[in-house]
Amino acid sequence: MTSSPATSSAVTIFKAARIRTMNPNRPLATHVAVRDGRILAVGDASDCAAWQATWDCTLDERFAERILMPGFVEAHGHTMEGSLWNNLFLGYFKRTAPDGHVEGGLKSIEAVVERLKEEEAKLTDPDQALVAWGFDPIYYSERMTRKHLDAVSATRPIVIMHASLHLLNVNTPVMERGNMLGQSNVEGILRDAEGVETGELQEMAAMNMAARVVGEAMAVRDVDADTLRTYGRASVNAGVTTTTDLHQRLNDDSLAAFLAVTKEADFPIRIVPALGAIQWALDEGIARATELKTQGNDRLYMGLVKIMTDGSIQGFTGRLKWPGYHNGAPNGLWNVPPAQLKAMILAYHEAGMQMHCHVNGDQASEFVIDVMEEALTKAPRPDHRHVLQHCQMADRAQFRRMKALGLSANLFANHIFYWGEQHYALTMGPDKARRMDACGTALAEGVQFSVHCDVPVTPLNPLFTAWCAVNRLTSEGRIMGPEECLPVEEALKAITIGAAYQLKLDHLVGSIEVGKFADFAVLDSDPAEVEPMKLREVRVLGTISAGQWYESAIPADQAPVPDVTIPDAPVPA
């Protein structure tokens, strides 16, 4: 349920060089009038006089040389971006923190270990766990083992979260305290050829053993007020005004934090959290999700449920159809046994919930499509808007089935840049890599779709995500599947009205039209007018949320996405 602001006769008219509305009835404008945090009118200078004759108006010209667009909508993100930055970032690529400073750029395992040693030396409490994140061994010539981490400390617990958040590396003290050495019945505790535990833990069952060892130091998915405020600042930097938290326990404590912070007058975003179904017993989860639908306000919307199926493709835990992984790695892991997953999906569908289903591999996509077909046959539901999240390896036949069932897809376009080379050479091979995150196929088959970053897995920056979908360039400049490139206009739809549709908020956000919230991204140039290859260079100056201005913390001389250098002559796949 939502609350409505008190009515007022005060109107602010924002003037811009151009307003790109994403509303086909009036795609371009120069003025937008705002009252009570909502859009009163959209038009040009001649219309402005009529508004001023009717209302007590103030003309705001500070954006007269800027571009306004609907505030971007991130339909797959996680508020843990607001808490992870309390820990050490170990990314291969550089990353901008919410306060604007840059971290990462570690190009070897040796550099990662040295950075860990620097951080460990700062810790004065010998029992304090050292937690880091953003690491991914797929970029290096060797896998990290507990020997690497034991060289940092053989006594202090050390936990390194992979960029995908589906794997961890830990040192020997964590394995000893978690009773993981010698375990044979827990799937996901990786071993070498001699059967010795390496310290790499894959997926939820194994990772939870490490989480229990370090306790609060690993509680990065938990929500508190500071986490949400920091995530709000990161969103402003990216031009995002509506976002998700697409896997939350949503217990009483986290719900209280969401309710309190979203009611703060200066909170700059709207959030749509999703109940993490695997964190609840089935009956309890359905009861909780039903109860949550009665909660909320103008900045907090409840009703989504997240279903976890397989794992991460670059972590080799995604579930693939034949012929499997290109390098011969064994097929991935199910986070929940398929029979239990099927019962879960059927039950939440029949309970009237909107499900967002994590599917990375094409086997996981096919499984969910099969179960959704059964669910919709047994209990038809108009406008259910179930979404396949990531959906990275779906083929054309699967997209046709999605269209027939009314399923939509949120495609992980950033993967093409950050892991495209690894998919081409290791995980998928050239043929299947060309079709990864197949936006062009989704568009051709008429599937409703959006694109996303899965922050904190990759940086929160919808214009960069759109650039990935438009150009499909890997980090080495390979054009990976040019047939799947999106036109710029369609990519901009995907990060605005397309994403809003998937959150069932397209009646409130995603375009600039009368009655919707006055949520805008303020840009230095028009993304529809720049060269497609320059799309990632469009600078976000800040956001307007409910008519209130919020300025970006990223310095004007800093690249919007650091550590992105593309060769002058892209290489065809």
Side-chain angles (χ1 to χ4, degrees), residues 399-448:
F399 278 108
R400 292 190 187 111
R401 292 185 66 196
M402 289 182 227
K403 170 65 174 177
L405 295 170
L407 302 172
S408 67
N410 192 352
L411 300 163
F412 199 168
N414 283 21
H415 246 263
I416 298 162
F417 176 80
Y418 285 107
W419 289 283
E421 287 297 319
Q422 288 70 35
H423 294 317
Y424 190 87
L426 295 173
T427 70
M428 294 294 101
D431 291 337
K432 292 179 75 175
R434 288 173 64 95
R435 78 157 198 256
M436 289 193 75
D437 301 291
C439 296
T441 297
L443 179 65
E445 297 298 335
V447 174
Q448 290 280 353

Side-chain angles (χ1 to χ4, degrees), residues 378-545:
K378 290 181 176 179
R381 273 178 53 195
D383 202 27
H384 55 78
R385 299 205 200 181
H386 299 319
V387 182
L388 272 60
Q389 291 285 349
H390 303 324
C391 204
Q392 294 206 74
M393 290 311 306
D395 59 25
R396 189 171 292 271
Q398 289 176 338
F399 278 108
R400 292 190 187 111
R401 292 185 66 196
M402 289 182 227
K403 170 65 174 177
L405 295 170
L407 302 172
S408 67
N410 192 352
L411 300 163
F412 199 168
N414 283 21
H415 246 263
I416 298 162
F417 176 80
Y418 285 107
W419 289 283
E421 287 297 319
Q422 288 70 35
H423 294 317
Y424 190 87
L426 295 173
T427 70
M428 294 294 101
D431 291 337
K432 292 179 75 175
R434 288 173 64 95
R435 78 157 198 256
M436 289 193 75
D437 301 291
C439 296
T441 297
L443 179 65
E445 297 298 335
V447 174
Q448 290 280 353
F449 72 96
S450 64
V451 292
H452 68 272
C453 70
D454 197 11
V455 63
V457 176
T458 69
L460 178 61
N461 187 325
L463 285 174
F464 176 71
T465 301
W467 176 85
C468 290
V470 167
N471 296 289
R472 293 185 64 88
L473 286 177
T474 71
S475 59
E476 295 184 14
R478 186 191 309 274
I479 304 173
M480 202 169 79
E483 298 82 3
E484 296 293 345
C485 291
L486 271 188
V488 170
E489 180 183 2
E490 296 297 334
L492 295 178
K493 288 179 184 177
I495 61 173
T496 53
I497 195 66
Y501 171 88
Q502 293 185 332
L503 300 181
K504 282 197 170 183
L505 291 182
D506 50 315
H507 61 301
L508 296 175
V509 300
S511 61
I512 299 176
E513 52 186 304
V514 175
K516 292 191 175 184
F517 288 122
D519 297 351
F520 316 129
V522 182
L523 312 175
D524 71 342
S525 52
D526 187 343
E529 296 293 330
V530 301
E531 295 178 17
M533 197 62 73
K534 301 286 188 182
L535 185 58
R536 64 183 172 85
E537 299 176 17
V538 174
R539 182 170 296 278
V540 173
L541 305 177
T543 62
I544 297 169
S545 179

Side-chain angles (χ1 to χ4, degrees), residues 35-251:
R35 183 167 70 105
D36 300 325
R38 291 182 180 263
I39 297 166
L40 177 66
V42 186
D44 55 25
S46 63
D47 298 314
C48 184
W51 303 336
Q52 289 172 317
T54 307
W55 305 99
D56 178 15
C57 293
T58 299
L59 181 63
D60 189 329
E61 298 187 274
R62 75 183 110 170
F63 308 119
E65 303 300 320
R66 306 303 186 187
I67 305 298
L68 297 187
M69 279 192 66
F72 300 134
V73 181
E74 179 50 73
H76 191 138
H78 303 275
T79 61
M80 73 172 79
E81 169 80 352
S83 58
L84 276 175
W85 285 100
N86 296 326
N87 304 300
L88 177 64
F89 178 68
L90 295 176
Y92 182 86
F93 294 93
K94 294 178 182 177
R95 178 83 68 91
T96 302
D99 65 3
H101 83 278
V102 175
E103 292 279 1
L106 304 174
K107 302 302 185 183
S108 68
I109 290 282
E110 291 76 17
V112 170
V113 171
E114 287 306 310
R115 185 70 185 90
L116 284 165
K117 289 180 177 178
E118 293 173 9
E119 196 69 14
E120 198 276 336
K122 299 176 186 177
L123 303 179
T124 56
D125 181 353
D127 296 322
Q128 181 180 348
L130 173 55
V131 177
W133 65 287
F135 171 75
D136 196 330
I138 202 169
Y139 295 121
Y140 307 117
S141 60
E142 59 179 323
R143 302 290 285 190
M144 178 181 279
T145 70
R146 55 190 168 109
K147 291 181 180 179
H148 291 106
L149 299 183
D150 289 348
V152 177
S153 177
T155 57
R156 180 190 306 283
I158 300 176
V159 176
I160 311 300
M161 290 177 276
H162 288 210
S164 69
L165 302 175
H166 283 262
L167 299 92
L168 301 175
N169 277 92
V170 299
N171 63 348
T172 299
V174 174
M175 299 206 76
E176 290 174 340
R177 298 182 196 186
N179 195 30
M180 287 179 265
L181 297 176
Q183 285 277 358
S184 59
N185 61 343
V186 178
E187 191 174 26
I189 298 178
L190 200 65
R191 293 170 176 81
D192 62 20
E194 285 72 42
V196 177
E197 296 85 355
T198 67
E200 185 170 316
L201 308 178
Q202 300 179 336
E203 297 303 327
M204 302 304 171
M207 293 195 301
N208 285 339
M209 297 175 78
R212 286 191 289 270
V213 172
V214 299
E216 291 186 3
M218 272 283 290
V220 293
R221 286 191 183 271
D222 293 348
V223 167
D224 60 23
D226 287 341
T227 294
L228 291 174
R229 294 185 190 112
T230 302
Y231 188 58
R233 290 193 292 273
S235 298
V236 168
N237 296 342
V240 171
T241 55
T242 299
T243 185
T244 52
D245 189 352
L246 210 60
H247 194 276
Q248 262 299 328
R249 180 166 174 78
L250 288 177
N251 56 15

Side-chain angles (χ1 to χ4, degrees), residues 307-310 319-321 333-346 355 357-375 388 391 394-395 398 401-402 405 407:
I307 306 291
M308 289 291 297
T309 65
D310 65 342
R319 295 287 305 191
L320 303 184
K321 294 173 64 175
L333 306 178
W334 296 105
N335 277 291
V336 177
Q340 185 179 340
L341 271 174
K342 179 177 179 178
M344 185 185 298
I345 292 170
L346 292 172
M355 285 178 285
C357 300
H358 166 113
V359 289
N360 261 317
D362 47 6
Q363 186 184 69
S365 293
E366 188 137 310
F367 173 82
V368 169
I369 293 170
D370 286 345
V371 177
M372 287 290 188
E373 184 173 31
E374 181 176 337
L388 272 60
C391 204
D395 59 25
Q398 289 176 338
R401 292 185 66 196
M402 289 182 227
L405 295 170
L407 302 172

